[in-house]
Amino acid sequence: AQKITQTQPGMFVQEKEAVTLDCTYDTSDPSYGLFWYKQPSSGEMIFLIYQGSYDQQNATEGRYSLNFQKARKSANLVISASQLGDSAMYFCAMRVTDSWGKFQFGAGTQVVVTP
Amino acid sequence: KAGVTQTPRYLIKTRGQQVTLSCSPISGHRSVSWYQQTPGQGLQFLFEYFSETQRNKGNFPGRFSGRQFSNSRSEMNVSTLELGDSALYLCASSLNFLSVGSGNTIYFGEGSWLTVV
């Protein structure tokens, strides 16, 4: 069975600092995709970044980068130069082919950026 | 290009009533999935539709049902509402339901906030 684990329920980070959000996953399928989403208090889930299991390089999207360590089955999100607008819930998710492509979400990490 | 549109955004229902939520996917997306989000249970997968057929189903009672139309728009219905059904219901769309590539990222709507009193 596939599983996504986010062990940090919440964290505070100071504006302009970098923050790393942990995500570990478990699957026996060699083909999978890893995704990160941001959910502000308004409720909408916003797609941030994607990493494929066969990708050789870590994904980057602006201030977001993904630290992908395949052997350790971890896909940590790094947000550089945090901004007040980064305060939100962050979800790690995985999609694998052997579960008919069903998305699995982690429990989420609440990030609060302070001035 | 328009995003995923969910209606209504907010609604209040009484126990025992039923509710229908609507979702219009991103143009060209043929897969629509639904999620329930509550503070206690987190994000839980309800079901996924592709080409008008349910392809995946979560562990929810039969009171929760859905359907997809030929234009890929989807509706979900909850009958005999219970207090515990109060939640944010999120709809998401993607190109298809099997591919795990970046081109098959799922994109979410703003959600429908349901309160059952």
Side-chain angles (χ1 to χ4, degrees), chain A residues 78-105:
Chain A
V78 180
I79 306 174
S80 62
S82 296
Q83 302 172 354
L84 295 178
D86 293 334
S87 293
M89 194 76 159
Y90 289 81
F91 291 94
C92 180
M94 176 172 66
R95 190 168 187 145
V96 298
T97 52
D98 67 358
S99 65
W100 289 85
K102 191 164 72 173
F103 256 67
Q104 304 269 356
F105 282 89

PDB file of all heavy atoms in Angstrom, chain A residues 78-105:
ATOM      1  N   VAL A  78      11.440  22.919  -0.157  1.00  0.00           N
ATOM      2  CA  VAL A  78      12.197  24.038   0.386  1.00  0.00           C
ATOM      3  C   VAL A  78      11.610  25.333  -0.168  1.00  0.00           C
ATOM      4  O   VAL A  78      11.478  25.484  -1.383  1.00  0.00           O
ATOM      5  CB  VAL A  78      13.695  23.948   0.026  1.00  0.00           C
ATOM      6  CG1 VAL A  78      14.453  25.131   0.616  1.00  0.00           C
ATOM      7  CG2 VAL A  78      14.289  22.636   0.530  1.00  0.00           C
ATOM      8  N   ILE A  79      11.225  26.223   0.738  1.00  0.00           N
ATOM      9  CA  ILE A  79      10.750  27.546   0.341  1.00  0.00           C
ATOM     10  C   ILE A  79      11.842  28.531   0.729  1.00  0.00           C
ATOM     11  O   ILE A  79      12.199  28.656   1.910  1.00  0.00           O
ATOM     12  CB  ILE A  79       9.433  27.918   1.055  1.00  0.00           C
ATOM     13  CG1 ILE A  79       8.374  26.831   0.855  1.00  0.00           C
ATOM     14  CG2 ILE A  79       8.920  29.261   0.526  1.00  0.00           C
ATOM     15  CD1 ILE A  79       7.096  27.063   1.662  1.00  0.00           C
ATOM     16  N   SER A  80      12.363  29.210  -0.252  1.00  0.00           N
ATOM     17  CA  SER A  80      13.433  30.179   0.048  1.00  0.00           C
ATOM     18  C   SER A  80      12.822  31.555   0.253  1.00  0.00           C
ATOM     19  O   SER A  80      11.733  31.846  -0.254  1.00  0.00           O
ATOM     20  CB  SER A  80      14.444  30.213  -1.103  1.00  0.00           C
ATOM     21  OG  SER A  80      13.799  30.650  -2.285  1.00  0.00           O
ATOM     22  N   ALA A  81      13.515  32.383   1.009  1.00  0.00           N
ATOM     23  CA  ALA A  81      13.099  33.778   1.216  1.00  0.00           C
ATOM     24  C   ALA A  81      11.606  33.874   1.527  1.00  0.00           C
ATOM     25  O   ALA A  81      10.836  34.475   0.774  1.00  0.00           O
ATOM     26  CB  ALA A  81      13.446  34.623  -0.003  1.00  0.00           C
ATOM     27  N   SER A  82      11.207  33.293   2.633  1.00  0.00           N
ATOM     28  CA  SER A  82       9.786  33.239   3.000  1.00  0.00           C
ATOM     29  C   SER A  82       9.146  34.621   3.020  1.00  0.00           C
ATOM     30  O   SER A  82       9.764  35.613   3.424  1.00  0.00           O
ATOM     31  CB  SER A  82       9.631  32.600   4.385  1.00  0.00           C
ATOM     32  OG  SER A  82      10.054  31.267   4.371  1.00  0.00           O
ATOM     33  N   GLN A  83       7.889  34.637   2.602  1.00  0.00           N
ATOM     34  CA  GLN A  83       7.105  35.878   2.606  1.00  0.00           C
ATOM     35  C   GLN A  83       5.865  35.653   3.481  1.00  0.00           C
ATOM     36  O   GLN A  83       5.444  34.512   3.702  1.00  0.00           O
ATOM     37  CB  GLN A  83       6.679  36.230   1.174  1.00  0.00           C
ATOM     38  CG  GLN A  83       7.828  36.395   0.223  1.00  0.00           C
ATOM     39  CD  GLN A  83       7.372  36.540  -1.225  1.00  0.00           C
ATOM     40  OE1 GLN A  83       6.187  36.398  -1.539  1.00  0.00           O
ATOM     41  NE2 GLN A  83       8.326  36.807  -2.113  1.00  0.00           N
ATOM     42  N   LEU A  84       5.282  36.752   3.941  1.00  0.00           N
ATOM     43  CA  LEU A  84       4.096  36.634   4.803  1.00  0.00           C
ATOM     44  C   LEU A  84       2.984  35.856   4.094  1.00  0.00           C
ATOM     45  O   LEU A  84       2.233  35.103   4.713  1.00  0.00           O
ATOM     46  CB  LEU A  84       3.596  38.019   5.211  1.00  0.00           C
ATOM     47  CG  LEU A  84       4.553  38.826   6.089  1.00  0.00           C
ATOM     48  CD1 LEU A  84       3.965  40.213   6.383  1.00  0.00           C
ATOM     49  CD2 LEU A  84       4.864  38.103   7.385  1.00  0.00           C
ATOM     50  N   GLY A  85       2.905  36.007   2.790  1.00  0.00           N
ATOM     51  CA  GLY A  85       1.884  35.304   2.016  1.00  0.00           C
ATOM     52  C   GLY A  85       2.104  33.810   1.906  1.00  0.00           C
ATOM     53  O   GLY A  85       1.253  33.089   1.386  1.00  0.00           O
ATOM     54  N   ASP A  86       3.237  33.338   2.395  1.00  0.00           N
ATOM     55  CA  ASP A  86       3.508  31.903   2.384  1.00  0.00           C
ATOM     56  C   ASP A  86       2.830  31.184   3.545  1.00  0.00           C
ATOM     57  O   ASP A  86       2.824  29.951   3.607  1.00  0.00           O
ATOM     58  CB  ASP A  86       5.016  31.633   2.443  1.00  0.00           C
ATOM     59  CG  ASP A  86       5.750  32.080   1.192  1.00  0.00           C
ATOM     60  OD1 ASP A  86       5.117  32.141   0.111  1.00  0.00           O
ATOM     61  OD2 ASP A  86       6.959  32.396   1.293  1.00  0.00           O
ATOM     62  N   SER A  87       2.272  31.935   4.466  1.00  0.00           N
ATOM     63  CA  SER A  87       1.569  31.322   5.600  1.00  0.00           C
ATOM     64  C   SER A  87       0.379  30.528   5.072  1.00  0.00           C
ATOM     65  O   SER A  87      -0.526  31.078   4.440  1.00  0.00           O
ATOM     66  CB  SER A  87       1.075  32.398   6.574  1.00  0.00           C
ATOM     67  OG  SER A  87       2.156  33.036   7.195  1.00  0.00           O
ATOM     68  N   ALA A  88       0.398  29.247   5.303  1.00  0.00           N
ATOM     69  CA  ALA A  88      -0.632  28.354   4.751  1.00  0.00           C
ATOM     70  C   ALA A  88      -0.362  26.944   5.226  1.00  0.00           C
ATOM     71  O   ALA A  88       0.635  26.668   5.890  1.00  0.00           O
ATOM     72  CB  ALA A  88      -0.613  28.388   3.223  1.00  0.00           C
ATOM     73  N   MET A  89      -1.274  26.050   4.838  1.00  0.00           N
ATOM     74  CA  MET A  89      -1.072  24.618   5.041  1.00  0.00           C
ATOM     75  C   MET A  89      -0.433  24.075   3.780  1.00  0.00           C
ATOM     76  O   MET A  89      -0.824  24.458   2.670  1.00  0.00           O
ATOM     77  CB  MET A  89      -2.431  23.953   5.279  1.00  0.00           C
ATOM     78  CG  MET A  89      -2.365  22.568   5.818  1.00  0.00           C
ATOM     79  SD  MET A  89      -1.944  22.565   7.567  1.00  0.00           S
ATOM     80  CE  MET A  89      -2.565  20.959   8.039  1.00  0.00           C
ATOM     81  N   TYR A  90       0.559  23.179   3.947  1.00  0.00           N
ATOM     82  CA  TYR A  90       1.243  22.602   2.805  1.00  0.00           C
ATOM     83  C   TYR A  90       1.067  21.094   2.816  1.00  0.00           C
ATOM     84  O   TYR A  90       1.301  20.433   3.831  1.00  0.00           O
ATOM     85  CB  TYR A  90       2.724  22.972   2.838  1.00  0.00           C
ATOM     86  CG  TYR A  90       2.976  24.421   2.529  1.00  0.00           C
ATOM     87  CD1 TYR A  90       2.816  25.395   3.514  1.00  0.00           C
ATOM     88  CD2 TYR A  90       3.334  24.843   1.250  1.00  0.00           C
ATOM     89  CE1 TYR A  90       3.010  26.736   3.232  1.00  0.00           C
ATOM     90  CE2 TYR A  90       3.533  26.179   0.962  1.00  0.00           C
ATOM     91  CZ  TYR A  90       3.370  27.115   1.949  1.00  0.00           C
ATOM     92  OH  TYR A  90       3.558  28.454   1.669  1.00  0.00           O
ATOM     93  N   PHE A  91       0.653  20.571   1.666  1.00  0.00           N
ATOM     94  CA  PHE A  91       0.400  19.144   1.536  1.00  0.00           C
ATOM     95  C   PHE A  91       1.341  18.522   0.515  1.00  0.00           C
ATOM     96  O   PHE A  91       1.533  19.052  -0.580  1.00  0.00           O
ATOM     97  CB  PHE A  91      -1.042  18.877   1.083  1.00  0.00           C
ATOM     98  CG  PHE A  91      -2.080  19.200   2.113  1.00  0.00           C
ATOM     99  CD1 PHE A  91      -2.692  20.445   2.122  1.00  0.00           C
ATOM    100  CD2 PHE A  91      -2.451  18.268   3.068  1.00  0.00           C
ATOM    101  CE1 PHE A  91      -3.660  20.755   3.075  1.00  0.00           C
ATOM    102  CE2 PHE A  91      -3.417  18.562   4.020  1.00  0.00           C
ATOM    103  CZ  PHE A  91      -4.017  19.813   4.018  1.00  0.00           C
ATOM    104  N   CYS A  92       1.869  17.377   0.889  1.00  0.00           N
ATOM    105  CA  CYS A  92       2.635  16.549  -0.020  1.00  0.00           C
ATOM    106  C   CYS A  92       1.686  15.473  -0.546  1.00  0.00           C
ATOM    107  O   CYS A  92       0.820  14.974   0.203  1.00  0.00           O
ATOM    108  CB  CYS A  92       3.801  15.907   0.755  1.00  0.00           C
ATOM    109  SG  CYS A  92       4.861  14.830  -0.202  1.00  0.00           S
ATOM    110  N   ALA A  93       1.804  15.123  -1.811  1.00  0.00           N
ATOM    111  CA  ALA A  93       0.902  14.128  -2.391  1.00  0.00           C
ATOM    112  C   ALA A  93       1.664  13.242  -3.370  1.00  0.00           C
ATOM    113  O   ALA A  93       2.689  13.643  -3.922  1.00  0.00           O
ATOM    114  CB  ALA A  93      -0.265  14.816  -3.105  1.00  0.00           C
ATOM    115  N   MET A  94       1.134  12.062  -3.567  1.00  0.00           N
ATOM    116  CA  MET A  94       1.775  11.098  -4.461  1.00  0.00           C
ATOM    117  C   MET A  94       0.714  10.447  -5.349  1.00  0.00           C
ATOM    118  O   MET A  94      -0.409  10.206  -4.898  1.00  0.00           O
ATOM    119  CB  MET A  94       2.487  10.018  -3.640  1.00  0.00           C
ATOM    120  CG  MET A  94       3.111   8.903  -4.469  1.00  0.00           C
ATOM    121  SD  MET A  94       4.122   7.805  -3.459  1.00  0.00           S
ATOM    122  CE  MET A  94       2.888   7.047  -2.414  1.00  0.00           C
ATOM    123  N   ARG A  95       1.121  10.169  -6.567  1.00  0.00           N
ATOM    124  CA  ARG A  95       0.242   9.480  -7.491  1.00  0.00           C
ATOM    125  C   ARG A  95       1.032   8.310  -8.076  1.00  0.00           C
ATOM    126  O   ARG A  95       2.133   8.512  -8.562  1.00  0.00           O
ATOM    127  CB  ARG A  95      -0.206  10.427  -8.590  1.00  0.00           C
ATOM    128  CG  ARG A  95      -1.302   9.892  -9.483  1.00  0.00           C
ATOM    129  CD  ARG A  95      -1.864  11.032 -10.324  1.00  0.00           C
ATOM    130  NE  ARG A  95      -3.020  10.634 -11.095  1.00  0.00           N
ATOM    131  CZ  ARG A  95      -4.064  11.422 -11.362  1.00  0.00           C
ATOM    132  NH1 ARG A  95      -4.082  12.637 -10.909  1.00  0.00           N
ATOM    133  NH2 ARG A  95      -5.071  10.988 -12.085  1.00  0.00           N
ATOM    134  N   VAL A  96       0.453   7.099  -7.996  1.00  0.00           N
ATOM    135  CA  VAL A  96       1.137   5.925  -8.521  1.00  0.00           C
ATOM    136  C   VAL A  96       0.213   5.207  -9.486  1.00  0.00           C
ATOM    137  O   VAL A  96      -1.001   5.274  -9.367  1.00  0.00           O
ATOM    138  CB  VAL A  96       1.577   4.951  -7.395  1.00  0.00           C
ATOM    139  CG1 VAL A  96       2.555   5.629  -6.464  1.00  0.00           C
ATOM    140  CG2 VAL A  96       0.387   4.434  -6.616  1.00  0.00           C
ATOM    141  N   THR A  97       0.803   4.499 -10.430  1.00  0.00           N
ATOM    142  CA  THR A  97      -0.011   3.841 -11.444  1.00  0.00           C
ATOM    143  C   THR A  97      -0.715   2.600 -10.912  1.00  0.00           C
ATOM    144  O   THR A  97      -1.784   2.260 -11.376  1.00  0.00           O
ATOM    145  CB  THR A  97       0.840   3.441 -12.655  1.00  0.00           C
ATOM    146  OG1 THR A  97       1.974   2.706 -12.206  1.00  0.00           O
ATOM    147  CG2 THR A  97       1.293   4.666 -13.418  1.00  0.00           C
ATOM    148  N   ASP A  98      -0.128   1.933  -9.927  1.00  0.00           N
ATOM    149  CA  ASP A  98      -0.727   0.660  -9.515  1.00  0.00           C
ATOM    150  C   ASP A  98      -1.910   0.837  -8.571  1.00  0.00           C
ATOM    151  O   ASP A  98      -2.456  -0.129  -8.088  1.00  0.00           O
ATOM    152  CB  ASP A  98       0.311  -0.284  -8.910  1.00  0.00           C
ATOM    153  CG  ASP A  98       0.860   0.219  -7.589  1.00  0.00           C
ATOM    154  OD1 ASP A  98       0.471   1.307  -7.143  1.00  0.00           O
ATOM    155  OD2 ASP A  98       1.696  -0.486  -7.008  1.00  0.00           O
ATOM    156  N   SER A  99      -2.298   2.062  -8.293  1.00  0.00           N
ATOM    157  CA  SER A  99      -3.556   2.276  -7.559  1.00  0.00           C
ATOM    158  C   SER A  99      -4.506   3.071  -8.446  1.00  0.00           C
ATOM    159  O   SER A  99      -5.239   3.936  -7.977  1.00  0.00           O
ATOM    160  CB  SER A  99      -3.308   2.988  -6.230  1.00  0.00           C
ATOM    161  OG  SER A  99      -2.809   4.280  -6.463  1.00  0.00           O
ATOM    162  N   TRP A 100      -4.429   2.789  -9.727  1.00  0.00           N
ATOM    163  CA  TRP A 100      -5.254   3.464 -10.707  1.00  0.00           C
ATOM    164  C   TRP A 100      -5.080   4.980 -10.672  1.00  0.00           C
ATOM    165  O   TRP A 100      -6.009   5.738 -10.918  1.00  0.00           O
ATOM    166  CB  TRP A 100      -6.724   3.096 -10.518  1.00  0.00           C
ATOM    167  CG  TRP A 100      -6.993   1.683 -10.937  1.00  0.00           C
ATOM    168  CD1 TRP A 100      -6.835   0.563 -10.187  1.00  0.00           C
ATOM    169  CD2 TRP A 100      -7.415   1.242 -12.224  1.00  0.00           C
ATOM    170  NE1 TRP A 100      -7.133  -0.545 -10.912  1.00  0.00           N
ATOM    171  CE2 TRP A 100      -7.482  -0.174 -12.170  1.00  0.00           C
ATOM    172  CE3 TRP A 100      -7.719   1.890 -13.417  1.00  0.00           C
ATOM    173  CZ2 TRP A 100      -7.856  -0.932 -13.267  1.00  0.00           C
ATOM    174  CZ3 TRP A 100      -8.106   1.123 -14.502  1.00  0.00           C
ATOM    175  CH2 TRP A 100      -8.167  -0.272 -14.420  1.00  0.00           C
ATOM    176  N   GLY A 101      -3.865   5.392 -10.327  1.00  0.00           N
ATOM    177  CA  GLY A 101      -3.572   6.817 -10.365  1.00  0.00           C
ATOM    178  C   GLY A 101      -4.185   7.621  -9.230  1.00  0.00           C
ATOM    179  O   GLY A 101      -4.195   8.848  -9.273  1.00  0.00           O
ATOM    180  N   LYS A 102      -4.670   6.928  -8.208  1.00  0.00           N
ATOM    181  CA  LYS A 102      -5.336   7.652  -7.125  1.00  0.00           C
ATOM    182  C   LYS A 102      -4.319   8.476  -6.331  1.00  0.00           C
ATOM    183  O   LYS A 102      -3.250   8.001  -5.980  1.00  0.00           O
ATOM    184  CB  LYS A 102      -6.036   6.658  -6.198  1.00  0.00           C
ATOM    185  CG  LYS A 102      -6.965   7.304  -5.205  1.00  0.00           C
ATOM    186  CD  LYS A 102      -7.904   6.283  -4.581  1.00  0.00           C
ATOM    187  CE  LYS A 102      -7.224   5.362  -3.614  1.00  0.00           C
ATOM    188  NZ  LYS A 102      -8.204   4.497  -2.916  1.00  0.00           N
ATOM    189  N   PHE A 103      -4.678   9.709  -6.037  1.00  0.00           N
ATOM    190  CA  PHE A 103      -3.814  10.583  -5.251  1.00  0.00           C
ATOM    191  C   PHE A 103      -3.862  10.211  -3.789  1.00  0.00           C
ATOM    192  O   PHE A 103      -4.905   9.945  -3.241  1.00  0.00           O
ATOM    193  CB  PHE A 103      -4.271  12.041  -5.395  1.00  0.00           C
ATOM    194  CG  PHE A 103      -3.412  12.861  -6.296  1.00  0.00           C
ATOM    195  CD1 PHE A 103      -3.354  12.604  -7.645  1.00  0.00           C
ATOM    196  CD2 PHE A 103      -2.665  13.922  -5.799  1.00  0.00           C
ATOM    197  CE1 PHE A 103      -2.575  13.353  -8.495  1.00  0.00           C
ATOM    198  CE2 PHE A 103      -1.871  14.687  -6.644  1.00  0.00           C
ATOM    199  CZ  PHE A 103      -1.834  14.407  -7.998  1.00  0.00           C
ATOM    200  N   GLN A 104      -2.675  10.235  -3.162  1.00  0.00           N
ATOM    201  CA  GLN A 104      -2.583  10.058  -1.716  1.00  0.00           C
ATOM    202  C   GLN A 104      -2.009  11.342  -1.154  1.00  0.00           C
ATOM    203  O   GLN A 104      -1.004  11.829  -1.651  1.00  0.00           O
ATOM    204  CB  GLN A 104      -1.629   8.910  -1.377  1.00  0.00           C
ATOM    205  CG  GLN A 104      -1.966   7.583  -2.015  1.00  0.00           C
ATOM    206  CD  GLN A 104      -2.851   6.749  -1.136  1.00  0.00           C
ATOM    207  OE1 GLN A 104      -3.154   7.129  -0.019  1.00  0.00           O
ATOM    208  NE2 GLN A 104      -3.295   5.615  -1.645  1.00  0.00           N
ATOM    209  N   PHE A 105      -2.635  11.874  -0.102  1.00  0.00           N
ATOM    210  CA  PHE A 105      -2.160  13.109   0.506  1.00  0.00           C
ATOM    211  C   PHE A 105      -1.605  12.854   1.895  1.00  0.00           C
ATOM    212  O   PHE A 105      -2.094  11.980   2.615  1.00  0.00           O
ATOM    213  CB  PHE A 105      -3.304  14.119   0.618  1.00  0.00           C
ATOM    214  CG  PHE A 105      -3.626  14.819  -0.667  1.00  0.00           C
ATOM    215  CD1 PHE A 105      -4.544  14.273  -1.550  1.00  0.00           C
ATOM    216  CD2 PHE A 105      -3.005  16.008  -0.995  1.00  0.00           C
ATOM    217  CE1 PHE A 105      -4.838  14.906  -2.749  1.00  0.00           C
ATOM    218  CE2 PHE A 105      -3.289  16.648  -2.188  1.00  0.00           C
ATOM    219  CZ  PHE A 105      -4.203  16.100  -3.070  1.00  0.00           C
TER     220      PHE A 105
END
